[in-house]
Amino acid sequence: VKSYEQEFEGLTKKSWTVLVYSNQFDNSCFSFNDIKQGESLINEENVNIVYCMRRQDWSKEPKNPMKKWCWITRADGNWSGLRYYKVQKGAKPYYELHSEALHESPDVDLDDTNHLADFIRWAVPKFPAERYCLSIWNHGSHITGETLDSTSPNNASLDKLGLDLRSAWKQVEPNKPISLLLLNSCNLATVEVLAEFAPVTDFAYACQTRNNTPGDGCLYECISNEPTIDCIELLQRYFSIQSKASLHCYERNGIKTAFSATAYDLRKMEALLAQFKDLAQCFSENELDESLLDDMLPADEAPFINLEFDLFELLERLAKMDGAIGERASSFVKLLRGKDSLIVEHMVNEHID
């Protein structure tokens, strides 16, 4: 049996391959529009964009009656099931895709993260690159389930997602990490989430209260025009464009909601986890005044949280304590706020109730 390297040996590597795992049914129109943006902006000499998109038959009743059909596209024909697209430069009417579907299968539950592993194992060997960007896009929910499809009876558990992604990536690129991970899903700026991806990822973008479309043009245009751009500069540029576009108070059922987003250098995650263990050990040996948790910053505004607590504010409060806890917390703060910190960028909107 040939290895992945042997089977696809000789293929020309491009500068970037962007993999988009669009695990959604209720927002399929946004997936369609994102592919259209890629078709307009891509420079195929430098970049591959490979898209995993699922769509159900729109003529059937939705399993979730609260979901409106306005977000489910009927463009490009009434196809249903799972498709992998290789995005190709071209222009067609807005209701048609120029790109060709290279893989088709009957409808599947993309919340089964085996399908993410399958997508990685299918796409990476066929479209090798010097650097890779992976976007996992849909609704998200902390550690209870990274990806949430409204039509799925099963939410993807975080540990299963992390295990499937890491094993698939190490199989196809054992010596090269994912350069940039875009967690374009809600509520994923948590220690638990990022720790799952850090072993195979250099940099990440995550938001805490709403999901963004993977490209919105800026990523595709940046890497097409500047394929050798430094990863931190690319992340900062992507962060700036995406976050500023979302820095407004939007309403859902008449309730104003906050937005925050953070960019991370996950190469420093191992040091952060070591600090966690050290601080936890210190807690077990010293009494902690629980009043320290009173009036904590709302999680919606936090750049890095552990469930509902803002990690920054908690550590800064602990750092004011005397003794071992204060010393360890001060060291932890430096890792998060220092010159070479794990946090690359952070932004929160200004209109929080």
Side-chain angles (χ1 to χ4, degrees):
V1 178
K2 289 184 178 181
S3 66
Y4 281 91
E5 292 85 352
Q6 291 171 328
E7 186 173 355
F8 297 98
E9 188 176 6
L11 290 179
T12 301
K13 286 188 176 182
K14 295 188 179 180
S15 297
W16 283 92
T17 289
V18 181
L19 307 172
V20 183
Y21 187 72
S22 179
N23 177 23
Q24 58 181 321
F25 160 60
D26 58 320
N27 290 332
S28 60
C29 66
F30 297 114
S31 299
F32 182 86
N33 291 339
D34 194 57
I35 294 175
K36 292 291 289 184
Q37 284 188 318
E39 291 178 345
S40 172
L41 297 169
I42 189 173
N43 178 345
E44 292 188 82
E45 291 184 5
N46 300 325
V47 178
N48 299 306
I49 302 174
V50 190
Y51 225 94
C52 173
M53 180 178 176
R54 172 198 177 217
R55 195 166 78 174
Q56 285 188 336
D57 186 345
W58 61 265
S59 65
K60 297 178 180 178
E61 288 294 321
K63 294 180 181 179
N64 184 348
M66 298 301 292
K67 292 296 178 182
K68 296 182 179 179
W69 283 108
C70 59
W71 302 119
I72 302 170
T73 181
R74 305 178 185 182
D76 204 43
N78 183 27
W79 63 268
S80 61
L82 177 70
R83 287 186 174 184
Y84 296 166
Y85 284 94
K86 165 65 168 63
V87 176
Q88 298 167 305
K89 184 80 172 180
K92 279 194 173 182
Y94 71 91
Y95 50 84
E96 292 182 45
L97 292 178
H98 176 75
S99 303
E100 178 185 0
L102 301 182
H103 169 82
E104 295 186 58
S105 69
D107 192 29
V108 298
D109 180 2
L110 291 182
D111 266 345
D112 178 353
T113 53
N114 287 318
H115 294 299
L116 172 61
D118 289 342
F119 176 54
I120 289 172
R121 284 191 289 259
W122 180 91
V124 172
K126 290 179 174 60
F127 304 102
E130 296 299 328
R131 291 186 285 180
Y132 295 92
C133 171
L134 172 63
S135 173
I136 301 177
W137 177 25
N138 194 18
H139 313 294
S141 180
H142 295 309
I143 63 171
T144 59
E146 198 287 325
T147 55
L148 299 173
D149 191 314
S150 63
T151 65
S152 172
N154 305 303
N155 293 335
S157 67
L158 180 60
D159 56 350
K160 176 69 162 54
L161 173 66
L163 177 62
D164 288 343
L165 186 148
R166 293 193 305 270
S167 61
W169 195 263
K170 289 177 180 178
Q171 186 177 7
V172 295
E173 282 286 5
N175 301 313
K176 184 180 296 184
I178 299 167
S179 295
L180 178 59
L181 175 67
L182 307 179
L183 294 172
N184 290 298
S185 306
C186 301
N187 305 318
L188 299 184
T190 70
V191 176
E192 293 87 352
V193 169
L194 295 167
E196 289 290 333
F197 302 108
V200 293
T201 306
D202 280 348
F203 297 94
Y205 167 95
C207 49
Q208 193 49 33
T209 49
R210 67 172 289 184
N211 57 320
N212 298 315
T213 51
D216 273 358
C218 63
L219 174 72
Y220 304 150
E221 189 169 27
C222 279
I223 61 178
S224 288
N225 295 338
E226 301 176 63
T228 61
I229 187 172
D230 177 76
C231 224
I232 291 183
E233 183 180 349
L234 172 63
L235 180 59
Q236 290 172 328
R237 197 177 303 181
Y238 177 84
F239 177 90
S240 176
I241 295 172
Q242 283 282 61
S243 301
K244 287 179 180 178
S246 300
L247 279 186
H248 58 83
C249 195
Y250 71 103
E251 293 191 6
R252 179 178 294 168
N253 299 325
I255 301 173
K256 292 182 178 180
T257 308
F259 169 83
S260 68
T262 312
Y264 305 92
D265 183 347
L266 295 187
R267 298 172 300 178
K268 299 180 173 65
M269 178 59 74
E270 187 174 349
L272 181 139
L273 295 178
Q275 292 274 21
F276 258 124
K277 292 179 181 179
D278 191 34
L279 192 57
Q281 178 65 29
C282 196
F283 284 159
S284 69
E285 299 170 352
N286 298 269
E287 186 175 350
L288 179 65
D289 183 358
E290 293 186 4
S291 66
L292 283 168
L293 302 180
D294 292 343
D295 302 318
M296 290 290 290
L297 184 70
D300 283 348
E301 302 178 45
F304 207 157
I305 71 170
N306 176 268
L307 295 182
E308 66 271 17
F309 293 127
D310 173 20
L311 187 59
F312 276 143
E313 185 175 359
L314 174 60
L315 289 171
E316 287 181 339
R317 291 185 183 192
L318 293 173
K320 296 176 182 178
M321 296 178 62
D322 295 327
I325 290 180
E327 292 175 4
R328 285 168 171 78
S330 296
S331 176
F332 209 153
V333 169
K334 291 178 181 178
L335 176 63
L336 295 176
R337 290 195 184 275
K339 180 180 179 182
D340 298 316
S341 70
L342 183 141
I343 306 296
V344 177
E345 295 282 353
H346 171 66
M347 191 175 290
V348 62
N349 68 357
E350 301 173 352
H351 308 290
I352 310 233
D353 288 343

